[in-house]
Amino acid sequence: MTSFNPRIWNRKLHRWGSIAVALPFLVVICTGLLLQLKKQLAWVQPPEQRTSVHVPTVTMEQILATAKSVPEAKVASWDDIDRLDVRPGKGLVKVVTVDHWELQLDLATGALLQSTYRRSDLIESLHDGSWFHDLVKLWVFLPAAVIVLGLWITGMYLFLLPFRARANKRRVAPSPVE
């Protein structure tokens, strides 16, 4: 019977842990990179328009009417709208539909400033695993994150091990005779 060697077990855990998290972690890394650049890549998230108005005067009825007037947004009622994002400092309100379409409207008139497909919400749901299913988020992506934390810890241990060994050699080495 072999004895328990922490160095060997650490390496084995590190090796097999990296295999276990390879696919979910690849998804997290790739989507994370896209999310880091979402303000720079219009493909991910549409750039925000600006107006000179900083006090909202547009009514909810005007917002809905403008949203309904954009065919690609497919808005028939408030049920088709996921959220409104009011940005008074930029003079606009973003209307995000359940189909991930983003309409940017003027806060004063409700006029359409921009209409574009918004991918950042989809990428975020891929990033946290909820796009696949809530159970995948909790039973695949969460454990993968815990394993990645363990890989970081074992990796730091493996990185520091040679330094520790050298320090021990210096401490144990006989001092030169004077």
Side-chain angles (χ1 to χ4, degrees):
M1 178 160 290
T2 60
S3 63
F4 174 75
N5 185 334
R7 289 182 184 149
I8 292 172
W9 275 100
N10 186 51
R11 285 187 178 92
K12 284 183 180 182
L13 286 172
H14 195 80
R15 187 178 314 123
W16 286 105
S18 63
I19 295 298
V21 301
L23 188 58
F25 196 52
L26 179 64
V27 170
V28 169
I29 289 170
C30 292
T31 55
L33 289 170
L34 285 173
L35 291 172
Q36 286 288 318
L37 298 170
K38 71 182 179 182
K39 297 291 185 181
Q40 288 76 29
L41 297 175
W43 182 83
V44 176
Q45 182 171 304
E48 291 180 340
Q49 304 299 311
R50 289 182 173 271
T51 68
S52 59
V53 176
H54 298 293
V55 178
T57 57
V58 67
T59 66
M60 297 301 262
E61 291 81 18
Q62 288 172 301
I63 292 172
L64 183 60
T66 303
K68 284 180 175 181
S69 73
V70 180
E72 59 269 13
K74 300 176 185 158
V75 174
S77 70
W78 285 109
D79 293 334
D80 300 317
I81 295 175
D82 181 44
R83 66 184 176 273
L84 300 178
D85 185 2
V86 179
R87 302 285 173 108
K90 294 184 178 178
L92 67 94
V93 58
K94 292 182 188 181
V95 178
V96 181
T97 70
V98 294
D99 291 334
H100 306 290
W101 206 265
E102 180 178 292
L103 310 171
Q104 294 182 21
L105 312 179
D106 186 297
L107 268 181
T109 64
L112 182 66
L113 301 172
Q114 178 174 282
S115 169
T116 313
Y117 188 73
R118 176 187 174 101
R119 292 173 181 85
S120 60
D121 297 333
L122 171 66
I123 294 169
E124 285 174 20
S125 68
L126 285 167
H127 184 72
D128 70 9
S130 61
W131 181 83
F132 302 101
H133 192 279
D134 282 341
L135 291 176
V136 173
K137 177 181 178 177
L138 291 175
W139 293 100
V140 175
F141 279 73
L142 178 62
V146 172
I147 292 170
V148 168
L149 177 61
L151 289 174
W152 181 84
I153 292 167
T154 59
M156 292 305 296
Y157 174 77
L158 291 171
F159 175 78
L160 295 173
L161 201 57
F163 295 106
R164 184 175 157 211
R166 273 186 240 132
N168 285 343
K169 279 183 184 179
R170 279 192 295 261
R171 200 174 21 236
V172 173
S175 59
V177 179
E178 292 186 27

